[in-house]
Amino acid sequence: RKEVEQDPGPFNVPEGATVAFNCTYSNSASQSFFWYRQDCRKEPKLLMSVYSSGNEDGRFTAQLNRASQYISLLIRDSKLSDSATYLCVVSASGGSYIPTFGRGTSLIVHP
Amino acid sequence: NAGVTQTPKFQVLKTGQSMTLQCAQDMNHNSMYWYRQDPGMGLRLIYYSASEGTTDKGEVPNGYNVSRLNKREFSLRLESAAPSQTSVYFCASSEWAGTVGYTFGSGTRLTVV
């Protein structure tokens, strides 16, 4: 089983739709969780951290479910500019452990 | 406000040739990393340097060497390029290893023919 798994998609949604991605992780000792965004042929950029209590940043909501070992990203009112690949990142501790990147979920928002 | 700068942006090599990818960051970060990204494979860690003076192997180190020249610079060397090393290479840095606030460079697209 891969350490971090994501549905590659693509998720093809119309503007204004709500879309959600999940990311499952296998290491129960995982402590830190993040979502990155990667545009086509560009470098990944940090989108948001995922906290135990869940967190929201504008149209984006991230949640963590430790019992089932997954994190989620919800995007409301999708914009054309949200089209990208979304990578989840999981780290076992805040020490020297190097985080593991998922392979990404592709989102296409169409008019 | 450069962040992480990688050179070159594009490179074509013949099998067996060698080259060095350069990476420099200006954020006073302690940790630096080299990743490769292939279609369907996601980002895979090649080598990392948790702090100046240290380097460690990542998931796919074979065929590569690294040098942490100073706190700012971390280079990746291909001694004898192979077609399997055709990929997009990203350098990244973070304040400390394990703290995920990675800043990535814009990448190097390498083709080995």
Side-chain angles (χ1 to χ4, degrees):
Chain A
R1 182 182 174 185
K2 299 182 184 67
E3 288 188 54
V4 178
E5 292 199 57
Q6 295 184 251
D7 181 344
F11 285 65
N12 206 318
V13 303
E15 270 186 295
T18 296
V19 62
F21 313 132
N22 282 345
C23 168
T24 59
Y25 60 94
S26 60
N27 186 348
S28 60
S30 298
Q31 294 293 329
S32 302
F33 309 89
F34 302 84
W35 285 101
Y36 275 70
R37 170 193 170 126
Q38 186 173 24
D39 293 301
C40 187
R41 302 178 73 83
K42 298 286 188 181
E43 72 272 24
K45 294 184 178 179
L46 180 64
L47 178 66
M48 59 195 304
S49 305
V50 186
Y51 303 122
S52 297
S53 56
N55 49 300
E56 189 173 310
D57 183 2
R59 298 181 293 108
F60 298 82
T61 300
Q63 294 200 315
L64 167 64
N65 185 316
R66 287 191 184 274
S68 300
Q69 295 186 200
Y70 73 87
I71 63 172
S72 63
L73 178 67
L74 179 78
I75 305 175
R76 292 180 299 278
D77 189 23
S78 298
K79 311 292 185 190
L80 296 176
S81 58
D82 293 334
S83 297
T85 296
Y86 292 84
L87 309 172
C88 77
V89 184
V90 176
S91 176
S93 74
S96 61
Y97 185 79
I98 304 301
T100 301
F101 282 77
R103 296 184 181 183
T105 296
S106 175
L107 172 65
I108 301 170
V109 182
H110 59 82
Chain B
N1 198 21
V4 178
T5 302
Q6 283 183 242
T7 56
K9 292 192 183 301
F10 301 93
Q11 185 71 49
V12 179
L13 289 179
K14 294 182 179 178
T15 298
Q17 286 185 320
S18 62
M19 79 162 295
T20 300
L21 281 64
Q22 307 287 353
C23 176
Q25 52 92 9
D26 62 4
M27 296 169 289
N28 202 35
H29 283 169
N30 293 284
S31 304
M32 298 184 73
Y33 316 81
W34 277 104
Y35 284 90
R36 61 178 288 174
Q37 188 174 37
D38 303 293
M41 296 298 293
L43 282 159
R44 292 184 292 169
L45 184 64
I46 304 171
Y47 272 93
Y48 68 99
S49 172
S51 60
E52 187 179 357
T54 69
T55 60
D56 285 287
K57 294 178 180 179
E59 181 184 355
V60 288
N62 292 344
Y64 306 95
N65 284 301
V66 291
S67 295
R68 183 76 182 265
L69 304 170
N70 47 56
K71 191 172 185 179
R72 291 186 63 248
E73 298 173 287
F74 188 39
S75 62
L76 178 72
R77 182 161 178 84
L78 287 71
E79 291 291 351
S80 178
S84 61
Q85 294 177 305
T86 293
S87 187
V88 180
Y89 291 84
F90 288 104
C91 177
S93 70
S94 65
E95 187 174 359
W96 291 104
T99 62
V100 182
Y102 281 0
T103 300
F104 283 84
S106 58
T108 296
R109 296 184 181 279
L110 175 67
T111 301
V112 183
V113 298

